[in-house]
Amino acid sequence: MSQVFVSHASEDRERALALVTALRDEGLDVWWDADLRAGTAYAGELQARVERAACVVVLWSRHAIDEQRTWIRSEADEGRRRGVLVPVRLDPVAPPKPYDQIQTIDLIDWIGDRGAPAFRKLVADIRAWLAAPPATTASAPKRSGRRALLVALSRGADAPALPAAERNVLRLAEALTWPECEFEVVSLVDPDGRQLMRAIADLLAPASHDDFVLLYFAGHVSFTGFGPFLPARNSELPAGVSLALIKQMFLDQTQVGHLFIVLDACYGDTAKAEVEAQLRTQLGPGPGKVLLATSAGPAARPEAWQDAHSPLTGLLLHALSNDAADSNHDGISTVEEVLQAIQVALGEGVLPLVFNTKPSEMQLRRRSGSVLADIKLHPLQQQFVDRIAPVFWRGELIPFLGDGIWDGSQRNYYAIVKQLSERAGLGAGHNPTMAAAAEALQFERGRPAFLVELREILGGPAQLAPPAAFDMILDMKPPWFVISTTHDLELERALDEAGRPYVLVSHILRSAGDDIGKALLLRSAHHPRGRDPATAAAVRLTSELEAEIDDDDCVIYKLLGSPFLAEHPAVRDRELDTVVITESDHITFLAQLEHQHTTIPSAFALQLYTRRLLFLGFNLDIWHYRLIGHAFFRREPRLQREAARDDDRRSGALAVREPASTLEQRLWEQFHVDMSSIELPTLVRALRARRPA
């Protein structure tokens, strides 16, 4: 069978032919429907070809997105299900859901040029997919009897789509197959009722007393008078598959010794008391098992499912990626320890239930001395890591931190927007940017009260596990330079706790005195000049800042400020406001950057010119796009000119980010950024594996 299958609308046959011809000229083995022989059973042959293809290229156009073109969506579904889908846009249209969540290559203006960057990227991506192993089942060398079934339920009846459900499953499948976890994993995305029941039977029927089985559901769960239901298609009951039926048929019959069930669910408007009562009744007690479920609350609302992960799964991924949950420091993270860590972060938003078993005996993760050499990466991820590892360890990268580093917690972009919107009284139908939501709340409260509430939002519950980006910075060889757009001071706290000296620089947006437009410089307590109150802080024009920064200083450039900086003892009396978050703040800040004495400090020019930006968890909304484009890409055209070069110096910006929308993807494309959807914990592990001796 041919390795590359091309799906298209009949109206796009001429454009499809041009692309197929060009791909074949590149030496790729391509099949499309024009290759059908006379007398062949059309539907059967197409089905066989797409099921066996190592790569499925779907050409989205204004014709292909028509709901009547069911065969195109069927072929796209097959590619998506197996993890081999490569979507291409021929027209400026958004692919239908859920395909709009997948990185797409634009050939909108392509006229057959084999040297066009978009076409070269398509060829490179296809070759990378062809080199990848099949993705339907993720597995790794495993300890005896460790199996997991991961189910995404992103579509519910009369309910909004939950894009994070499928991403949850994909990321969790990757994490569970790491050598520390060693699970054999089977994943399902929006299965029908029969597929779901068969998969659960295959998981539990052969299990023995010594086995550890993880059963994970992410997405919609509905409640009827008969209890909770999973919205699987073509089920015997209209509501889907009953959890009570799953318990009766499988959970109560299994011989498995260690059963861990995770129900990371969106319950709609179901009351918390009913959710907890129904889960206790329908899933327990019976044979030994542990249930970890979202309770009704913010983590179980659709708004929490628009990020790369839902809050609960984000915390579970963090626990699987490092030793953060290992409270007794024995190198083993048990289910009991993970439950405790997640409860600290989510509080009443999570419901842990234990029935007739000991979660302390369930090992989710075990540290291994040789694990770093065994990291499994997708070919595209491998290329990304191979590209940045040498420059990272030479100190030639500038980490550029966004709120997305807090993925899955109340400090990430979407959680902050949600809290700002709720406090401002914006209705559920609004989908504002962070700047718009902040502007609305400031309009209601006034600036001083708004900053107080912003501190409350950013403070939130303590004890949040530090994000993997902090590990990356702690690994960097000094003197390093970091740009941070988070409004909290958690990175600074982590560095203080580790005894690392640094200098923090931020712009002053407003001031009771004559400091507007100047830069605030703060030296940490571990800095040689940070111990003396006379030299711990300085306020200077940005053009005069160079004299304050030593050659061996590690610098955090706090680009958008923080409401907590005004509380620093050295400047508390000066009433300094460094926060850039509202629409008005962005407009004021952009104007300041136009002036030579209040623009980006000239002291940073060398780093920005000789090092590459590495965006980590940075959500490129329209206001961030304006600011970053103005501050870095417009002033540094070299970033764009050299985006395609691959040399030892900076060859364009990089980003670890999965765009949350088609708009965000298009905005990134304007900057010619080399992007990867690799998980931050995975990237940190991979970089450590490539640390020079």
Side-chain angles (χ1 to χ4, degrees):
M1 285 286 181
S2 301
Q3 290 186 298
V4 182
F5 180 96
V6 175
S7 174
H8 66 95
S10 56
E11 293 87 348
D12 300 317
R13 177 170 289 269
E14 289 188 8
R15 290 191 286 180
L17 173 60
L19 182 59
V20 168
T21 301
L23 292 176
R24 286 174 172 169
D25 288 346
E26 294 288 330
L28 297 171
D29 186 9
V30 182
W31 191 93
W32 67 316
D33 58 3
D35 294 328
L36 280 168
R37 296 187 302 274
T40 302
Y42 188 88
E45 179 71 3
L46 279 175
Q47 186 68 20
R49 292 282 180 176
V50 73
E51 287 180 354
R52 298 182 191 179
C55 177
V56 178
V57 177
V58 176
L59 307 182
W60 293 114
S61 68
R62 63 179 182 275
H63 305 295
I65 63 173
D66 191 324
E67 292 184 358
Q68 303 302 316
R69 310 302 172 91
T70 56
W71 72 89
I72 297 178
R73 299 194 185 199
S74 175
E75 290 159 359
D77 267 336
E78 176 63 23
R80 183 175 70 110
R81 182 184 68 82
R82 294 193 289 118
V84 296
L85 176 62
V86 177
V88 174
R89 289 201 307 169
L90 300 182
D91 293 325
V93 295
K97 293 183 179 298
Y99 315 106
D100 61 341
Q101 302 298 321
I102 301 173
Q103 186 87 0
T104 304
I105 295 176
D106 280 344
L107 292 182
I108 296 172
D109 300 319
W110 187 68
I111 55 175
D113 179 8
R114 311 294 168 83
F119 178 75
R120 300 314 313 166
K121 176 172 173 53
L122 174 61
V123 172
D125 286 358
I126 290 175
R127 285 178 172 151
W129 281 112
L130 296 182
T136 51
T137 299
S139 62
K142 60 182 184 301
R143 302 195 286 274
S144 175
R146 295 172 66 84
R147 296 191 302 279
L149 173 62
L150 313 179
V151 183
L153 304 165
S154 64
R155 305 173 189 174
D158 302 321
L162 303 179
E166 182 176 355
R167 294 197 286 264
N168 281 355
V169 165
L170 293 174
R171 302 298 179 258
L172 194 57
E174 178 184 4
L176 288 170
T177 57
W178 287 337
E180 299 101 327
C181 301
E182 296 184 343
F183 277 84
E184 180 180 351
V185 180
V186 174
S187 302
L188 294 176
V189 176
D190 295 320
D192 62 32
R194 290 184 178 181
Q195 287 176 314
L196 178 58
M197 298 296 275
R198 177 60 183 271
I200 296 175
D202 291 344
L203 178 76
L204 292 174
S208 70
H209 181 74
D210 295 328
D211 292 345
F212 184 175
V213 169
L214 170 61
L215 183 56
Y216 170 91
F217 301 100
H220 287 292
V221 173
S222 61
F223 284 81
T224 71
F226 300 97
F229 281 77
L230 307 177
R233 298 174 287 110
N234 303 322
S235 302
E236 294 183 4
L237 297 176
V241 175
S242 165
L243 281 179
L245 180 62
I246 291 175
K247 179 178 184 292
Q248 178 184 354
M249 292 184 61
F250 305 115
L251 303 184
D252 287 349
Q253 308 302 321
T254 182
Q255 301 299 311
V256 66
H258 303 293
L259 177 59
F260 184 28
I261 303 171
V262 179
L263 189 64
D264 190 358
C266 180
Y267 303 119
D269 296 324
T270 307
K272 178 180 179 181
E274 181 180 356
V275 168
E276 296 188 3
Q278 290 280 9
L279 292 181
R280 290 179 186 273
T281 301
Q282 302 294 348
L283 290 177
K289 56 184 168 289
V290 175
L291 171 67
L292 174 63
T294 45
S295 181
R301 299 289 302 167
E303 296 85 354
W305 288 72
Q306 306 306 310
D307 204 352
H309 310 297
S310 59
L312 173 59
T313 296
L315 292 167
L316 181 58
L317 283 166
H318 186 75
L320 294 173
S321 66
N322 56 48
D323 292 335
D326 181 16
S327 58
N328 62 0
H329 308 292
D330 63 352
I332 297 173
S333 297
T334 65
V335 168
E336 182 177 57
E337 290 173 318
V338 170
L339 292 181
Q340 291 171 351
I342 292 177
Q343 274 188 283
V344 168
L346 291 182
E348 294 184 356
V350 65
L351 176 67
L353 298 174
V354 180
F355 303 104
N356 304 320
T357 191
K358 296 180 179 179
S360 60
E361 296 178 355
M362 299 184 184
Q363 296 183 11
L364 265 181
R365 180 182 187 275
R366 183 174 62 192
R367 185 168 59 234
S368 169
S370 62
V371 70
L372 294 178
D374 298 324
I375 299 172
K376 306 298 181 183
L377 298 175
H378 184 277
L380 293 177
Q381 296 175 343
Q382 185 72 57
Q383 292 175 11
F384 186 81
V385 171
D386 289 344
R387 188 175 180 188
I388 72 170
V391 290
F392 175 79
W393 290 116
R394 290 199 301 267
E396 296 172 6
L397 286 181
I398 300 175
F400 196 117
L401 308 184
D403 299 297
I405 63 172
W406 290 105
D407 189 22
S409 82
Q410 78 273 9
R411 286 200 185 103
N412 72 18
Y413 180 93
Y414 297 102
I416 294 173
V417 171
K418 180 176 182 295
Q419 293 186 70
L420 290 169
S421 299
E422 289 177 348
R423 290 172 182 245
L426 299 180
H430 290 78
N431 186 27
T433 62
M434 183 182 292
E439 186 77 28
L441 182 58
Q442 179 176 275
F443 180 80
E444 292 291 328
R445 303 287 197 268
R447 186 70 174 186
F450 164 73
L451 292 177
V452 171
E453 291 200 44
L454 182 59
R455 283 194 289 270
E456 293 174 357
I457 291 171
L458 295 171
Q463 304 295 325
L464 277 182
F470 292 5
D471 294 330
M472 175 182 289
I473 292 167
L474 287 168
D475 284 345
M476 292 175 65
K477 180 181 178 181
W480 43 254
F481 181 73
V482 171
I483 301 174
S484 174
T485 61
T486 68
H487 293 92
D488 58 74
L489 294 180
E490 293 305 308
L491 170 61
E492 293 77 4
R493 190 193 316 276
L495 291 168
D496 289 337
E497 291 176 354
R500 305 289 182 87
Y502 62 88
V503 170
L504 183 149
V505 175
S506 188
H507 293 263
I508 299 172
L509 201 67
R510 300 176 180 85
S511 168
D514 59 354
D515 296 326
I516 295 176
K518 294 180 180 179
L520 169 65
L521 182 145
L522 298 173
R523 298 182 175 92
S524 70
H526 295 283
H527 190 283
R529 289 198 280 166
R531 303 183 184 97
D532 184 350
T535 57
V539 174
R540 299 284 187 272
L541 291 172
T542 61
S543 58
E544 301 172 351
L545 201 61
E546 194 164 357
E548 296 288 342
I549 298 177
D550 299 329
D551 291 341
D552 58 351
D553 277 341
C554 293
V555 176
I556 300 175
Y557 183 19
K558 203 75 174 174
L559 186 65
L560 303 185
S562 169
F564 301 105
L565 292 178
E567 300 174 340
H568 192 283
V571 296
R572 187 178 295 150
D573 297 337
R574 302 182 74 152
E575 299 183 27
L576 305 180
D577 182 351
T578 63
V579 178
V580 179
I581 190 171
T582 69
E583 293 176 332
S584 301
D585 294 341
H586 280 83
I587 293 171
T588 301
F589 189 38
L590 287 169
Q592 286 185 1
L593 293 179
E594 287 295 321
H595 195 283
Q596 63 175 334
H597 295 301
T598 59
T599 189
I600 293 177
S602 57
F604 302 157
L606 181 62
Q607 289 93 331
L608 291 171
Y609 185 77
T610 60
R611 304 181 187 184
R612 302 173 65 184
L613 296 177
L614 173 61
F615 292 91
L616 301 173
F618 186 75
N619 187 303
L620 193 64
D621 65 20
I622 192 64
W623 282 101
H624 286 166
Y625 170 77
R626 291 168 177 147
L627 176 59
I628 301 308
H630 182 89
F632 298 100
F633 290 92
R634 184 177 74 89
R635 295 172 182 274
E636 290 285 338
R638 185 170 177 268
L639 281 170
Q640 295 188 31
R641 280 201 314 269
E642 301 187 1
R645 289 178 54 188
D646 186 14
D647 53 26
D648 288 337
R649 303 186 67 196
R650 187 178 65 195
S651 56
L654 304 134
V656 176
R657 172 75 181 168
E658 185 170 340
S661 65
T662 302
L663 173 62
E664 185 183 355
Q665 179 180 323
R666 297 296 297 275
L667 294 178
W668 281 114
E669 290 170 356
Q670 296 301 305
F671 294 148
H672 304 284
V673 173
D674 183 3
M675 300 189 69
S676 174
S677 60
I678 187 172
E679 287 293 312
L680 266 177
T682 304
L683 176 61
V684 172
R685 289 155 40 88
L687 289 174
R688 286 174 172 174
R690 290 156 179 78
R691 187 197 303 263

